[in-house]
Amino acid sequence: MKPTEMNWENFSEIIQNNQTKKWGLIPLLQKVQESFGYVPPETIEPIAESLNLYPSEVQGVLTFYAGFSTEPKGKYVLKVCRGTACHGKGGKSSLRLIQKDLDLEEGETSPDYQFTLETAACLGACFLAPAMMVDREYYGKLNPIKVTSILGEHRKEKGED
């Protein structure tokens, strides 16, 4: 799945529905990201103008919050926990297995935009250690068989879109 092309008509509609709400920068950025899969850099100035902000203020919010991305991400975003509990229970080997299986390093997206691999300082699921997330779904008590199964499950879904 490739990133959504920039649809300026759709973007204009999002802006019109939110432009009078200066407090609405974060919800506006969230709507743009939901629509396009990321916040395209070329949208920063129009967003700033619509909310009577400086582009640097919009950029500051984008870079401060880890939930926003100005780069296209894969259909599935994998977040592997690097927290103490997960590390102690073998999380690093799960990460290495995923890296090898997908041929990706941390922060990279597969050329077909199917997967993006990220790590997190802590996913807050220590009782599931070692843990990872695929989008908003948690997977825990990881082992090589389980990791391979999770990746296979999401590869299967590729053909259904």
Side-chain angles (χ1 to χ4, degrees):
M1 175 177 134
K2 293 189 177 179
T4 304
E5 292 292 317
M6 189 63 214
N7 178 333
W8 287 99
E9 188 175 308
N10 186 15
F11 175 70
S12 293
E13 186 178 312
I14 293 169
I15 289 286
Q16 285 175 355
N17 291 335
N18 294 277
Q19 71 185 32
T20 60
K21 306 169 187 165
K22 188 170 186 171
W23 56 266
L25 176 58
I26 291 174
L28 174 56
L29 290 171
Q30 289 170 326
K31 287 177 184 172
V32 171
Q33 185 157 294
E34 284 173 20
S35 293
F36 302 105
Y38 69 113
V39 180
E42 62 269 24
T43 65
I44 293 171
E45 275 193 49
I47 289 169
E49 286 175 21
S50 76
L51 296 174
N52 201 25
L53 297 169
Y54 292 107
S56 60
E57 292 174 297
V58 175
Q59 184 67 39
V61 170
L62 279 172
T63 55
F64 180 78
Y65 291 103
F68 291 121
S69 176
T70 56
E71 298 284 325
K73 290 193 177 189
K75 178 179 178 183
Y76 301 109
V77 177
L78 310 176
K79 286 188 184 176
V80 180
C81 185
R82 287 184 173 259
T84 305
C86 289
H87 180 76
K89 292 198 173 190
K92 192 168 186 168
S93 62
S94 295
L95 176 60
R96 281 195 299 257
L97 176 62
I98 294 167
Q99 288 173 317
K100 184 178 178 186
D101 190 294
L102 298 178
D103 193 27
L104 293 176
E105 291 300 318
E106 181 181 339
E108 290 183 339
T109 298
S110 60
D112 63 358
Y113 290 95
Q114 185 71 7
F115 296 101
T116 296
L117 178 60
E118 299 177 346
T119 60
C122 181
L123 293 177
C126 303
F127 63 98
L128 293 173
M132 68 181 274
M133 291 176 72
V134 178
D135 297 327
R136 294 182 179 158
E137 189 171 345
Y138 284 86
Y139 295 89
K141 308 232 184 262
L142 298 175
N143 59 50
I145 294 169
K146 197 166 190 179
V147 169
T148 302
S149 173
I150 292 164
L151 295 176
E153 181 182 314
H154 288 86
R155 279 192 179 104
K156 261 194 253 175
E157 293 176 19
K158 180 180 180 180
E160 295 175 9
D161 288 342

